[in-house]
Amino acid sequence: MAEKKGQTDRIKELTDKLEAGIKEVFTSGRYREYLSAMNKFHSYSYNNSLLILMQKPEASYVAGYKTWETLGRHVKKGEKGITILAPCPYKSVNYVDVIEPDTGQVKRDEQGNVMKERKEISRASFKAISIFDISQTEGKPLPELVKELQGEIPDYKILMDSIRDVAPVPIRFDVWNETKKGYYDLENQEIVIKSGMSDLQTIKTAIHETTHSILHKDKEHTKDSATMEVEAESVAFVVCQHLGLDTSDYSFGYLASWSSDKDLPELKSSLQTIQKTAHDMIEQLDRAILKNTNNLDISLTVADEPMK
């Protein structure tokens, strides 16, 4: 019991550290430069986030054709847009019965006819529009808040095998030119990680995407994309810290880029979810690491035995 309480306290300490680190980013000049560009991007509803995920799961920054032009970039020739639904409300005119406010009865004129009044009614409607991911554009680079993590991990293979054991869906690697490090493909139920990254970036990304596959695995989930990203990266930061891996250079900036303001509403509203998920993942990973380490020791011992 004392050990479990100690781990809970440690996770609380790490989430406090995370909050302080994000707030420091908000006060930096780098953030102001980043914000002036990022204000051009919309926060999409869950339904539109799902549409984006299903059509281009590796998408990172998406915007309309004209928005990209204001950022000094243009859509490459022949690129197919990502279709989402944009609000398109309209008003209709109806003639309705006039009601007496005192009696609640229909009001009539001298001839006994029901009196009518003109009333405008706003109706919800949507239209399909096309947006494009940054990978479909070219031109001026966007300001960045995050630094790609560098560094080798001596036990990289054991850690990667252990994450595969914990993840509820398969993990595979692929090659692409986009800045996005990885993604959880909800449609195909798999995690895809960009090949060629450092050990540290790969492990952090694998834990981030595993969190998505645990917390954001059903189409009926109603959280917005900002909250989902804050949850996944926060869990990744806490778990990596537990493993002795420092992802501050990446996680603080990444989370600041997703938080709507310096009060960190997405982080605070999800703290319980983040802490519980990190706690559960740490316990599962510790067991998987122990198993994979023992298996490696056994295989090495067998390999060292002389032929009989």
Side-chain angles (χ1 to χ4, degrees), residues 216-268:
H216 314 132
K217 60 189 175 183
D218 61 86
K219 295 180 181 180
E220 285 69 44
H221 210 83
T222 55
K223 291 182 181 177
D224 60 275
S225 54
T227 299
M228 289 192 287
E229 290 306 315
V230 166
E231 289 178 349
E233 188 64 20
S234 298
V235 171
F237 172 81
V238 172
V239 173
C240 283
Q241 287 281 322
H242 169 77
L243 296 171
L245 308 174
D246 186 8
T247 66
S248 303
D249 284 347
Y250 190 95
S251 296
F252 292 168
Y254 185 90
L255 287 162
S257 73
W258 280 102
S259 296
S260 52
D261 60 58
K262 63 180 181 296
D263 292 328
L264 311 180
E266 293 85 3
L267 177 65
K268 290 178 178 176

Side-chain angles (χ1 to χ4, degrees), residues 98-107:
V98 178
I99 304 297
E100 291 278 9
D102 296 332
T103 64
Q105 300 296 315
V106 174
K107 192 174 183 179

Side-chain angles (χ1 to χ4, degrees), residues 137-156:
T137 69
E138 55 191 2
K140 182 180 174 183
L142 294 179
E144 292 185 347
L145 263 188
V146 297
K147 298 177 184 177
E148 183 166 322
L149 297 168
Q150 301 297 328
E152 294 184 356
I153 300 174
D155 298 321
Y156 169 79

Side-chain angles (χ1 to χ4, degrees), residues 236-302:
F237 172 81
V238 172
V239 173
C240 283
Q241 287 281 322
H242 169 77
L243 296 171
L245 308 174
D246 186 8
T247 66
S248 303
D249 284 347
Y250 190 95
S251 296
F252 292 168
Y254 185 90
L255 287 162
S257 73
W258 280 102
S259 296
S260 52
D261 60 58
K262 63 180 181 296
D263 292 328
L264 311 180
E266 293 85 3
L267 177 65
K268 290 178 178 176
S269 66
S270 294
L271 270 178
Q272 188 174 356
T273 297
I274 291 164
Q275 291 171 352
K276 182 183 184 309
T277 306
H279 182 277
D280 293 346
M281 194 180 294
I282 285 169
E283 288 196 333
Q284 292 178 56
L285 267 177
D286 281 350
R287 287 195 294 269
I289 289 168
L290 181 62
K291 180 199 77 173
N292 289 321
T293 302
N294 289 339
N295 288 345
L296 180 63
D297 289 343
I298 291 169
S299 64
L300 289 174
T301 301
V302 171

